[in-house]
């Protein structure tokens, strides 16, 4: 039983907490804050998610990998860019981000091998925007940094988790091109064998 002296339905209390929280709130965290059973909180969250989805508004109440939060819908992105003056991602940045999303964790040398061009500036830009993060170091010469996507990446692209990424086959009709891309992404051609690790190891440590 909720011991807080609030004359509000549980759904309203959950809604208020999630709205005010700077980061996603898990069911456990909500239940602890409200001093109620997690099952009741989970039901309230699912009810809110359904309600906001059906109302066709400009934002939704949704589940992410870290918990529940409010997010604007993808359709209003151009409006938000006007207000925030946010630079849209370039095609090259989206390509780099996609490579990391599907094959993470990756070093910069591995990203450049797959793309076929130098990508240091793009990686730095994606790091600055919080879409990529350093997630560790690879064993080997120079111990180059490993990069992966972030919770901000999931939020921006409306994903609950990496498992929601569409399959690679949905992007390319030409079988031979798809096969070549998949061979690179699955490291059929090993980066170390091409001598790329050593050439970028010292640079990656400073990215």
């Amino acid at each position: 039983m909720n011991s807080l002296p609030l004359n509000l339905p549980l759904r309203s209390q959950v809604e208020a907490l999630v709205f005010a929280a700077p980061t996603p709130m898990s069911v456990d965290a909500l239940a602890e804050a409200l001093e109620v059973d997690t099952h009741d909180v989970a039901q309230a969250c699912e009810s809110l998610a359904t309600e906001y989805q059906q109302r066709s508004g400009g934002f939704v109440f949704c589940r992410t990998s870290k918990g529940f939060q409010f997010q604007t819908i993808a359709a209003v992105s151009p409006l938000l860019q006007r207000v925030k003056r946010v630079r849209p991602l370039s095609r090259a940045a989206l390509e780099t981000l996609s490579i990391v999303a599907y094959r993470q964790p990756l070093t910069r040398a591995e990203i450049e091998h797959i793309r076929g061009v130098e990508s240091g500036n793009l990686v730095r830009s994606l790091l600055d925007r919080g879409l990529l993060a350093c997630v560790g170091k690879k064993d080997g010469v120079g111990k180059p940094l490993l990069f992966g996507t972030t919770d901000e990446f999931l939020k921006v692209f409306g994903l609950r988790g990496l498992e929601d990424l569409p399959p690679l086959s949905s992007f390319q009709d030409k079988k031979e091109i798809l096969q070549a891309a998949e061979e690179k992404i699955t490291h059929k051609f090993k980066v170390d064998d091409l001598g790329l690790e050593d050439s970028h190891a010292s640079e990656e440590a400073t990215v």
Side-chain angles (χ1 to χ4, degrees), residues 9 64 117 142:
T64 71
V117 294

Side-chain angles (χ1 to χ4, degrees), residues 5 21 32 57 63 98 105 129 142 167-168 202:
E32 182 179 357
R63 182 194 296 273
S98 298
R129 297 180 73 152
L168 284 172
S202 59

Side-chain angles (χ1 to χ4, degrees), residues 10-11 15 45 91 104 111 126 137 145 147 179 205:
L10 179 59
R11 288 175 74 261
E15 184 179 37
C45 287
R91 182 173 180 176
Q104 58 188 307
I111 295 170
L126 293 169
K137 293 185 177 182
L145 299 177
F147 300 102
Q179 182 178 357

Side-chain angles (χ1 to χ4, degrees), residues 81-126:
Q81 289 179 14
R82 291 182 188 178
V83 175
K84 293 184 176 182
R85 297 292 187 267
V86 176
R87 279 189 304 109
L89 291 171
S90 66
R91 182 173 180 176
L94 285 171
E95 180 182 83
T96 301
L97 195 56
S98 298
I99 290 169
V100 178
Y102 281 96
R103 187 58 186 87
Q104 58 188 307
L106 284 175
T107 67
R108 199 187 85 182
E110 290 167 331
I111 295 170
E112 291 175 343
H113 168 58
I114 295 171
R115 294 194 65 233
V117 294
E118 199 278 331
S119 304
N121 289 335
L122 288 171
V123 172
R124 292 187 186 92
S125 175
L126 293 169

Side-chain angles (χ1 to χ4, degrees), residues 10-11 14 27 30 36-51 61 63 68:
L10 179 59
R11 288 175 74 261
V14 168
V27 169
L30 288 165
V36 297
D37 187 77
T38 56
H39 177 71
D40 294 334
V41 171
Q43 284 190 324
C45 287
E46 295 301 334
S47 175
L48 284 166
T50 300
E51 177 185 331
F61 182 95
R63 182 194 296 273
F68 287 90

